[in-house]
Amino acid sequence: MAEIHQQRNLPFMKKSILLTALIALFMLNIRAQQAPLYSQLYFMRMLYNPALTAYNGSTNLWGFYREQWTYLPGHPVTAGVLGEVSLWKDQIGVGFHVYEDNTDIIHRINAQAYYAQKIHLAKDHILSLGFSAGIMEAHVDFNNAIASDADDPHLLLAGKSGIAFDMNVGLAYQWKKLTIGFSVPQVINTQAKLADQLNTTNYSNKRQFIGSASYEISIAQEKFNIEPSVLIKSGMTLPLQVDGNIMFNYKRFLYLGVGYRMDYGVSMMAAVRISKAVTIGYAYEYPIMKSVTYSDTHGTHEVIVGICFDKWMKKKVKDKDLLKMDHKIDSLMAKNDSIQKALDSLR
């Protein structure tokens, strides 16, 4: 999410109590939350580090939907889609990410393109450098605000929108099944200006810093796999936040996981992969904050659906290889025929 600063041009403004605006700001600023939160980052790692775009050499398309604190009016709702493609024999990863994030009267749409360059330092040692860039539109809808003074001229104005450039950078190091990453979301601190005749509102994206580490432990020739991971976040307006997760999978078909977000909540995750192509996942977060209880929020729900295209792409590559081989065989046969004709002419 982001901070909102207002520059008032009028010498005096009527006092209003914007209940929904306060709820929105409460949700935006509790624990100084800056960007949408996700539970199932195990499957969508590029969301927190662009250097991990197609990090495992896969080509995927993901859709996600998340409702946070469902019992609160105007609670955050995030929905979007992302895609990642591995190119040039897994030397490059490219992708995109589009999402809509709504919190009461504040609405955002963000669209970005991703690029990751993989550098093979030595056997099993890979350094990845990545960035994403795009635009963000912020919209504040005062028409839906609940205020004690319904005649406040600021509330009579239509909703205001502004557009700003957004950019994330990151790097990652992989050694066998160990992955360590560092990223800087919203690196350039851009602002979307929402202006009208009465005032100007600056919607600011504040720079963050994210460190991550994960290690997959395989048992019985990768029949069982366990991956603990940690995510550490901080920033200009974000206090230190630590996320810890453990994901277990059986034959990369059935996934079960648990997570803990410091001073925030615990999560439970489950996913299934069908025909090595379609993954369906669900996560539920239970709040454990001192200031916000379960009876206040009723928890958080998150659903993801993904399609892996590796199965079809490998078949396509195999078909191309077979076609090339057929061409070579045809060429050799043609040469053999010409040699045979030459020999016959000499007899």
Side-chain angles (χ1 to χ4, degrees):
M1 312 287 183
E3 288 191 341
I4 295 179
H5 306 283
Q6 281 194 339
Q7 301 170 349
R8 296 178 182 173
N9 299 324
L10 295 181
F12 177 76
M13 177 188 289
K14 291 184 178 179
K15 237 177 174 181
S16 297
I17 303 174
L18 304 178
L19 177 58
T20 55
L22 290 176
I23 293 173
L25 291 174
F26 166 76
M27 291 182 177
L28 288 170
N29 290 304
I30 189 165
R31 308 307 298 166
Q33 178 179 326
Q34 290 279 313
L37 298 175
Y38 301 98
S39 299
Q40 301 175 84
L41 289 171
Y42 173 88
F43 298 102
M44 305 179 293
R45 307 189 187 209
M46 60 183 276
L47 284 178
Y48 65 86
N49 189 340
L52 295 176
T53 304
Y55 84 103
N56 60 354
S58 289
T59 296
N60 304 288
L61 180 67
W62 292 95
F64 54 87
Y65 179 82
R66 176 184 174 90
E67 284 199 47
Q68 182 176 321
W69 303 341
T70 57
Y71 194 66
L72 286 177
H75 60 270
V77 177
T78 306
V81 62
L82 67 89
E84 53 185 351
V85 181
S86 176
L87 299 173
W88 287 5
K89 296 182 179 180
D90 198 28
Q91 298 297 312
I92 290 175
V94 297
F96 71 92
H97 177 212
V98 180
Y99 72 87
E100 181 179 11
D101 185 58
N102 299 314
T103 303
D104 204 75
I105 65 171
I106 301 173
H107 312 282
R108 291 191 310 156
I109 296 177
N110 196 309
Q112 296 195 37
Y114 285 67
Y115 178 87
Q117 177 67 58
K118 301 179 182 181
I119 304 170
H120 291 263
L121 304 175
K123 184 180 179 181
D124 297 325
H125 294 266
I126 301 174
L127 177 67
S128 299
L129 307 174
F131 73 93
S132 66
I135 58 172
M136 177 205 69
E137 180 189 31
H139 177 79
V140 179
D141 187 6
F142 288 110
N143 289 330
N144 291 326
I146 300 173
S148 60
D149 184 359
D151 295 326
D152 190 321
H154 291 77
L155 302 180
L156 300 177
L157 297 173
K160 298 184 293 182
S161 298
I163 295 177
F165 178 74
D166 195 13
M167 183 175 180
N168 308 322
V169 298
L171 59 86
Y173 166 74
Q174 290 177 264
W175 175 69
K176 295 184 178 180
K177 296 189 176 184
L178 170 68
T179 302
I180 299 173
F182 177 76
S183 62
V184 186
Q186 303 170 171
V187 64
I188 52 180
N189 284 338
T190 55
Q191 294 184 344
K193 291 188 177 182
L194 291 68
D196 56 38
Q197 298 90 339
L198 295 177
N199 59 22
T200 297
T201 301
N202 291 325
Y203 191 97
S204 304
N205 284 325
K206 293 299 183 180
R207 185 182 301 122
Q208 299 180 48
F209 304 95
I210 300 178
S212 63
S214 65
Y215 185 79
E216 185 180 72
I217 303 167
S218 298
I219 304 170
Q221 297 180 340
E222 297 193 359
K223 186 176 182 180
F224 302 95
N225 303 280
I226 303 172
E227 182 173 317
S229 63
V230 62
L231 202 69
I232 302 174
K233 294 180 268 186
S234 186
M236 300 177 66
T237 59
L238 180 71
L240 184 68
Q241 186 179 79
V242 180
D243 298 0
N245 294 277
I246 298 178
M247 182 66 79
F248 163 86
N249 76 73
Y250 171 71
K251 292 185 176 180
R252 307 195 187 280
F253 157 70
L254 179 65
Y255 297 82
L256 297 172
V258 294
Y260 168 75
R261 183 169 287 127
M262 186 177 70
D263 297 331
Y264 198 95
V266 294
S267 59
M268 294 157 282
M269 296 160 276
V272 61
R273 194 173 190 183
I274 305 167
S275 300
K276 296 182 179 181
V278 179
T279 301
I280 301 173
Y282 169 77
Y284 176 77
E285 288 187 20
Y286 185 90
I288 58 172
M289 293 173 290
K290 294 180 181 179
S291 56
V292 180
T293 65
Y294 173 79
S295 59
D296 297 324
T297 66
H298 285 201
T300 297
H301 303 270
E302 182 180 287
V303 177
I304 63 170
V305 177
I307 302 175
C308 179
F309 295 93
D310 292 349
K311 185 177 179 180
W312 295 281
M313 293 188 72
K314 287 179 181 178
K315 184 179 184 302
K316 188 176 180 181
V317 170
K318 188 180 294 184
D319 290 343
K320 284 184 178 180
D321 291 340
L322 289 173
L323 187 60
K324 288 179 181 178
M325 190 175 295
D326 287 341
H327 287 319
K328 286 182 179 180
I329 292 172
D330 291 340
S331 177
L332 289 173
M333 291 292 288
K335 288 181 180 179
N336 183 63
D337 290 341
S338 63
I339 293 172
Q340 187 64 44
K341 287 178 181 179
L343 290 173
D344 291 340
S345 64
L346 293 174
R347 290 175 183 172

